[in-house]
Structures are given as structure tokens and as C-alpha cells.
Amino acid sequence: MTVPSTAPGFVLGALVGAVATAAGSYFVFWRRQRAATRRLRVALTHELRSLDYVDDLVEAGDYEGVTTAVDVPVVYEANADDLGRLSEREVGALVEFYASLYWLRDLEDPEDKKARIDDVVAKRQTALDAVENG
């Protein structure tokens, strides 16, 4: 009679073990995803801050110089596949800024597009605010 009473114990023990293992694995996965998202935000924040010289050039009225001075956005390009980790607001602001940055780099005649160039400065600040505030 002891055999039937131990079978449910084995089943229950296996079930509890499986649930505990799954929960532990999910927790580790969740922590890694959060850490990766945090590192992505930090890297993007640093890159956006490093582009503050664009603001200075635009404020100085050096519209011709700003089109040749813009560096390739390394962090953005290297992590484009991971932008889905961020919120919609962050992704929207980042894509809007970097699209305008690419436009700025390829600009041929900046003198007649001063208003749109000035807008790049505002978009950088919006993207920086979005990434810093999650």
C-alpha cells in the first residue's frame, strides 16, 4: 500500500521542481534583458551627448561646416536591431533625430534649409530626453 501513496509525491515533487526551474530561468532571462536595455540606453545617451558640437555649429551659424563635421553614429548603427527593447517614445525620438542627422550629413546646399537644420538641434535634445527618462 505504500507504493500508491509515494507516486503522487514523486509527481508533485517533479512538478514543483519544474515550476521552480522555469521561474528561475525566466527571472535570469528577465534580468539580462533589463541589463542589456540599460546598457543600450547608457550607450545611446553618451553618443547623443557627444553630438553636442552640432548644436554649437548651428548656433554659430556655420551651416556649411555642420554638414561636413557630423560623425557616423556608431552606437545607433551597431544597435539598430536592439531598438525594440526601448519604449515607443524613445524609438520614435531616436529614429527622428538620426534620420535628420543622416539628412544633414548628405546635405549639399545648406543655406536655404536653415530652419530644418535648426530643427536637428531640437530633435537631438528630444531624443536625449527620451532616452535619459526612459
Side-chain angles (χ1 to χ4, degrees), residues 13-123:
L15 216 98
V16 168
V19 168
T21 301
S25 295
Y26 179 76
F27 178 71
V28 169
F29 171 77
W30 176 76
R31 284 196 54 192
R32 285 182 181 161
Q33 293 297 318
R34 264 187 60 189
T37 302
R38 191 175 336 106
R39 286 190 303 272
L40 177 61
R41 281 189 179 114
V42 168
L44 286 166
T45 298
H46 286 297
E47 182 169 75
L48 288 166
R49 284 189 180 152
S50 73
L51 291 166
D52 66 347
Y53 66 89
V54 172
D55 300 6
D56 298 337
L57 289 170
V58 171
E59 285 177 23
D62 188 6
Y63 294 103
E64 193 71 40
V66 77
T67 61
T68 58
V70 177
D71 295 325
V72 176
V74 177
V75 174
Y76 178 76
E77 288 183 1
N79 294 287
D81 292 342
D82 294 328
L83 291 181
R85 296 174 188 258
L86 305 174
S87 70
E88 270 186 56
R89 179 175 160 258
E90 291 170 299
V91 172
L94 286 167
V95 168
E96 209 172 304
F97 167 68
Y98 282 106
S100 66
L101 192 68
Y102 287 123
W103 169 81
L104 189 61
R105 287 182 61 219
D106 296 332
L107 191 59
E108 295 289 327
D109 184 22
E111 286 303 316
D112 60 340
K113 297 174 180 74
K114 290 179 183 179
R116 191 164 171 199
I117 292 172
D118 290 339
D119 196 37
V120 173
V121 173
K123 287 179 182 180

